[in-house]
Amino acid sequence: MTDLPQQRARHVAIIMDGNGRWAKRHHLPRAMGHQKGVEAVRRLVRALESTGLECLTLYAFSSENWKRPEEEIRDLMGLMRRFIKSDLPEFVENGVRLKIIGDYTALDADIVEMLEDALARTAGGGRTLAVALNYGSQQEIARAAAEAAAGGEVTTETIAAHLDTADLPPLDLLIRTSGEHRLSNFLLWQSAYAEFWFTEELWPDFTPEHLSQALDDFARRERRYGGR
Ligand code: IPE
Ligand code: IPE
Ligand code: MG
């Protein structure tokens, strides 16, 4: 076991789950759970440099999350506005390149504008923070396949080239918090040979130390890709 070569992850994705249960456990309104969730994101982005990762992808809002009550969606969008406003200067300063996956253009016009400004201002950054907004993996694959077909040839390579993640390193490790063990329409194609790491921690309690622990576990995993 100990003589396995240690490997370093380039790209980690996280399904940030459990904000609602965190709030319930602390007898707080659901919105507070989401606010604490934003704080967990901030801690992680601040630690990004020290992780050595090239890319961290965070599932922030799924294409199915529109099914939630209007009030909760409003809270989430409000938090997004505030987060971009307060943290964008830090992104620029720390060389974090923002990327969005999913159809963010369906969000409110002012958020779309803020996001596009943030994308432009962080374009020179070295490490990528990819945020999944209005993201659904099945929709992404269907669209990529249609675009590949329009280009003439449908192969795994041409589909991959049309995914939102085409410019990102291959996904190494997928983390989900809060004890759930499902993908919820996240990175289905990209996780074909990703390693999985699950924790019972609710997202607002997730810290950079948990990420380090996941990366240490990953370093000792044996990946075979179907070979032997
Ligand atoms: C994750 O927390 C945040 C989003 C999906 C936006 P949840 O809101 O899903 O929290 P639980 O799963 O109900 O605890
Ligand atoms: C997945 O969490 C989406 C995000 C974390 C943004 P959900 O809480 O929406 O997933 P389900 O409904 O439990 O599968
Ligand atoms: Mg959930």
Side-chain angles (χ1 to χ4, degrees), residues 16-22 30 34 60-61 65 68 72 76:
M16 311 184 285
D17 199 12
N19 292 353
R21 277 162 285 168
W22 185 93
R30 218 182 149 80
H34 292 313
F61 194 85
N65 285 147
R68 295 193 179 198
E72 181 171 2
L76 286 166

Side-chain angles (χ1 to χ4, degrees), residues 18-37 39 43 200-206:
N19 292 353
R21 277 162 285 168
W22 185 93
K24 199 166 191 180
R25 197 172 287 178
H26 292 82
H27 309 286
L28 291 165
R30 218 182 149 80
M32 273 302 291
H34 292 313
Q35 193 179 312
K36 292 287 177 187
E39 289 168 24
R43 285 197 294 268
E200 294 292 321
E201 295 291 342
L202 301 175
W203 177 250
D205 294 327
F206 193 86

Side-chain angles (χ1 to χ4, degrees), residues 93-113:
E93 192 171 322
N94 298 336
V96 174
R97 177 181 84 107
L98 181 69
K99 178 182 168 76
I100 311 291
I101 62 171
D103 183 14
Y104 71 92
T105 62
L107 303 182
D108 288 350
D110 69 306
I111 297 185
V112 173
E113 201 177 309

Side-chain angles (χ1 to χ4, degrees), residues 53-226:
L53 289 173
E54 290 168 43
C55 180
L56 176 68
T57 299
L58 300 177
Y59 203 7
F61 194 85
S62 76
S63 46
E64 289 73 35
N65 285 147
W66 296 110
K67 293 180 196 160
R68 295 193 179 198
E70 227 174 276
E71 189 194 343
E72 181 171 2
I73 294 173
R74 210 175 323 114
D75 289 339
L76 286 166
M77 296 302 157
L79 281 169
M80 185 117 61
R81 286 184 180 90
R82 264 182 282 154
F83 178 65
I84 303 166
K85 239 184 223 137
S86 59
D87 286 47
L88 180 58
E90 223 179 279
F91 281 22
V92 175
E93 192 171 322
N94 298 336
V96 174
R97 177 181 84 107
L98 181 69
K99 178 182 168 76
I100 311 291
I101 62 171
D103 183 14
Y104 71 92
T105 62
L107 303 182
D108 288 350
D110 69 306
I111 297 185
V112 173
E113 201 177 309
M114 288 174 82
L115 287 172
E116 287 179 344
D117 172 60
L119 292 173
R121 283 168 58 187
T122 61
R127 297 190 197 277
T128 301
L129 174 71
V131 182
L133 291 175
N134 188 23
Y135 176 86
S137 187
Q138 291 181 331
Q139 297 88 320
E140 178 196 32
I141 293 167
R143 197 211 59 239
E147 287 173 10
E153 212 194 350
V154 181
T155 65
T156 55
E157 286 80 16
T158 60
I159 290 174
H162 285 95
L163 295 173
D164 293 352
T165 52
D167 62 333
L168 300 178
L171 182 62
D172 292 311
L173 179 67
L174 189 118
I175 296 174
R176 183 165 189 153
T177 60
S178 84
E180 306 293 354
H181 302 96
R182 55 178 172 268
L183 288 175
S184 301
N185 205 12
F186 189 49
L187 302 180
L188 305 181
W189 179 286
Q190 295 85 344
S191 59
Y193 273 102
E195 297 290 323
F196 289 80
W197 197 84
F198 297 105
T199 173
E200 294 292 321
E201 295 291 342
L202 301 175
W203 177 250
D205 294 327
F206 193 86
T207 65
E209 287 67 43
H210 293 113
L211 178 58
S212 284
Q213 207 182 314
L215 290 171
D216 286 350
D217 281 2
F218 172 82
R220 290 187 294 272
R221 301 266 181 102
E222 187 194 351
R223 300 176 89 183
R224 299 207 189 103
Y225 300 99

